[in-house]
Amino acid sequence: MTASLTNGSTTVVVADILAAPLSRPLRRDVLDQTNAAAPKINAGTPGKLAGTITYLCDTLADALALDALYQSAATITLTSDAGAPLNGLQHVAVGDLRYNAERGLPGRPSKWTITVEIREL
């Protein structure tokens, strides 16, 4: 499954999304009261997704293009297969962007993974 990312002026295509451990703060607290059987739940508005996305890039040039895209402060839109969980995710990069070269098989070039910390907008 390929995925494309765009900031409105530049588009980068990656070979695949390998992992996306994301979390959403629900902003709920539980208060166990001494004189009540049921706990009291304090609920707020759930937050936006945050975490990391790991992309697979076929070449170093693709990895560098993705790096350049994420260096922009513009909103990035991820487009993948229709109905895929992350299709249409609008986000920005925060924190660190990490490269990793996957060991290539004999006679085949290495592929690259890019892991980027994101926050949903």
Side-chain angles (χ1 to χ4, degrees):
M1 168 187 89
T2 62
S4 65
L5 298 106
T6 184
N7 64 5
S9 61
T10 303
T11 299
V12 175
V13 177
V14 296
D16 204 353
I17 298 173
L18 297 180
L22 302 171
S23 64
R24 179 185 312 279
L26 295 177
R27 298 183 179 147
R28 293 184 191 135
D29 294 319
V30 177
L31 177 61
D32 289 316
Q33 297 175 326
T34 305
N35 297 327
K40 180 176 178 165
I41 307 294
N42 294 324
T45 303
K48 300 283 188 170
L49 291 172
T52 61
I53 301 176
T54 301
Y55 300 101
L56 178 66
C57 298
D58 287 331
T59 65
L60 179 57
D62 292 345
L64 292 171
L66 188 59
D67 183 1
L69 182 72
Y70 272 116
Q71 287 183 43
S72 162
T75 300
I76 295 174
T77 302
L78 188 152
T79 305
S80 59
D81 295 337
L86 297 179
N87 189 37
L89 176 68
Q90 293 187 328
H91 61 283
V92 294
V94 297
D96 296 324
L97 182 141
R98 293 177 295 281
Y99 286 81
N100 189 30
E102 290 196 330
R103 190 163 89 185
L105 299 172
R108 297 182 126 175
S110 294
K111 295 196 178 214
W112 293 81
T113 61
I114 298 287
T115 302
V116 62
E117 295 179 47
I118 64 107
R119 296 293 184 271
E120 180 183 22
L121 295 178

